[in-house]
Amino acid sequence: MTNENIIEVTALKKHFKAGRRISAGGDDVVKAVDGVSFSIKRGETFGLVGESGCGKSTTGRCILRLIEPTAGRVIFDGRDLSSLGRQDLRRLRREMQIVFQDPYSSLDPRMRVGDIIEEPLIIHNRGDRKDRVEIVNRLLLKVGLKTEHRDRYPHEFSGGQRQRIGIARALALTPKFIVCDEPVSALDVSVQAQVVNLLQDLQDELGLTYLFISHGLRIVEHIAGRVGIMYLGKILEVGVCGDIFHDARHPYTRALLSAAPSPDPDKQRSRLALKQDTAMPAMPSSGCRFQMRCPIAEPRCSVQEPALAEVSPDHFVACFAVGHTISPE
């Protein structure tokens, strides 16, 4: 793997117009993503972690321009996606794909599996019918299914098998980059491990680059090389997984890690208590987004927003109180 960045996200924003004002003091704009910046090296897996509603899935879809960003830049393999017209973007979509969260709703129930996987090949004029059949058969085998499965419908498969079909569809156009949008959250734990291992094997074999979106910290620790921690549209901490999971600096990251269940029932983990959350994307607090819940918030946190600062090599934290001791429950 080289150090070249295949994805560079700079000051990415996505604001949605709300149907009505959230409250008397609120705004009529939901700031789902509000100034996110990070990069992904070619061939690596970058994890994006946070609570539901923090904007991580919206970030992934903005990168692919499945939804149009409000502001910011996304550079993919040296090309500025925001400057591409419809036809150029259509051609580039062959190199960027997505695996969706829900394997039940992401597959058309009226289409046979072979047709689902073949559809991207037809849209992008790849090969004749015979070539496409061979590609579909090869992809089914690659993701751990059988060639005879091509004639079945999605409802005849388990959740894990459906997600394998979704992965095969994402691979059909031989992409360089795949957004994995919580690809295992709807699956049983034992099946999650199988799908994660499959994604890793495919990455090693095909040289893929992943943006792996999840709220499962342990899964991200297993599959990702670097990880960003997201809260209310902002990235609060980013770095190498080993640094983040064993030397977290931001209070929110520490709280997430303390809340993760331990696989050892005899090992009790001290929980980090947070204040009641009253902030929403439509009503972000001034200053630091996390200051309403932070146990070590300072007066300036309510008026000044901390920028990501490097606290150790390739480890960045957006917090004024980095290094302060936080007492668990």
Side-chain angles (χ1 to χ4, degrees):
M1 182 180 70
T2 68
N3 291 325
E4 179 188 354
N5 292 331
I6 191 171
I7 290 285
E8 297 179 8
V9 179
T10 305
L12 185 67
K13 295 184 179 182
K14 181 57 184 179
H15 298 173
F16 293 98
K17 189 76 172 178
R20 57 184 176 82
R21 295 185 73 85
I22 306 301
S23 71
D27 201 348
D28 58 355
V29 174
V30 177
K31 298 179 180 179
V33 180
D34 198 26
V36 165
S37 299
F38 61 89
S39 62
I40 307 177
K41 298 174 184 176
R42 190 180 304 276
E44 83 164 339
T45 298
F46 183 87
L48 197 56
V49 175
E51 298 173 71
S52 296
C54 72
K56 53 190 186 294
S57 291
T58 303
T59 298
R61 291 169 188 244
C62 283
I63 289 173
L64 298 179
R65 277 186 63 182
L66 294 179
I67 53 178
E68 291 294 331
T70 302
R73 297 181 68 196
V74 177
I75 306 297
F76 171 71
D77 209 12
R79 288 163 284 188
D80 187 350
L81 297 186
S82 60
S83 66
L84 296 181
R86 185 173 180 177
Q87 291 301 319
D88 290 335
L89 183 62
R90 178 188 173 93
R91 284 191 290 269
L92 197 60
R93 290 202 186 282
R94 304 170 187 172
E95 303 178 28
M96 307 181 299
Q97 291 294 311
I98 184 170
V99 176
F100 293 99
Q101 175 180 0
D102 187 0
Y104 295 89
S105 62
S106 62
L107 304 177
D108 191 333
R110 299 167 298 179
M111 295 178 66
R112 298 180 189 271
V113 166
D115 296 329
I116 290 172
I117 300 174
E118 185 184 7
E119 187 175 30
L121 300 170
I122 296 174
I123 292 173
H124 289 274
N125 299 314
R126 289 289 183 89
D128 56 23
R129 173 62 178 171
K130 181 181 178 181
D131 293 335
R132 294 195 299 266
V133 169
E134 291 179 357
I135 293 173
V136 170
N137 288 340
R138 186 167 64 249
L139 287 170
L140 285 170
L141 295 174
K142 191 177 292 291
V143 298
L145 298 174
K146 300 177 181 179
T147 55
E148 53 263 35
H149 288 157
R150 61 173 296 117
D151 296 320
R152 299 184 185 178
Y153 290 92
H155 73 268
E156 300 179 71
F157 295 89
S158 66
Q161 289 175 318
R162 293 187 200 193
Q163 197 59 290
R164 289 172 185 268
I165 296 167
I167 293 170
R169 177 177 59 185
L171 294 174
L173 296 171
T174 60
K176 299 177 181 177
F177 172 65
I178 298 179
V179 173
C180 301
D181 186 8
E182 301 199 45
V184 298
S185 63
L187 307 178
D188 293 338
V189 174
S190 60
V191 181
Q192 288 182 4
Q194 296 172 15
V195 173
V196 167
N197 290 336
L198 171 63
L199 289 170
Q200 289 183 305
D201 291 342
L202 291 170
Q203 183 177 41
D204 293 339
E205 179 183 349
L206 304 174
L208 298 170
T209 303
Y210 293 143
L211 171 61
F212 193 91
I213 298 168
S214 177
H215 56 257
L217 292 169
R218 295 309 170 195
I219 291 176
V220 170
E221 184 180 18
H222 176 71
I223 193 174
R226 292 187 303 131
V227 61
I229 308 298
M230 197 166 180
Y231 181 77
L232 285 186
K234 295 280 188 179
I235 288 185
L236 303 184
E237 187 166 6
V238 61
V240 177
C241 275
D243 294 339
I244 299 294
F245 286 96
H246 299 102
D247 187 25
R249 302 294 187 90
H250 199 283
Y252 178 60
T253 309
R254 297 184 188 182
L256 286 178
L257 291 170
S258 72
S262 173
D264 185 354
D266 296 325
K267 184 179 180 181
Q268 297 297 321
R269 180 181 282 117
S270 298
R271 292 289 300 275
L272 177 60
L274 299 179
K275 299 177 183 179
Q276 179 66 31
D277 183 20
T278 58
M280 297 186 298
M283 294 191 302
S285 58
S286 59
C288 176
R289 293 292 175 90
F290 188 62
Q291 55 96 7
M292 289 187 175
R293 301 178 71 185
C294 185
I296 57 171
E298 303 174 355
R300 61 174 169 169
C301 297
S302 62
V303 293
Q304 184 179 353
E305 183 176 357
L308 281 170
E310 191 169 19
V311 295
S312 62
D314 204 22
H315 188 171
F316 298 82
V317 183
C319 182
F320 295 125
V322 171
H324 285 206
T325 301
I326 307 174
S327 300
E329 287 182 340

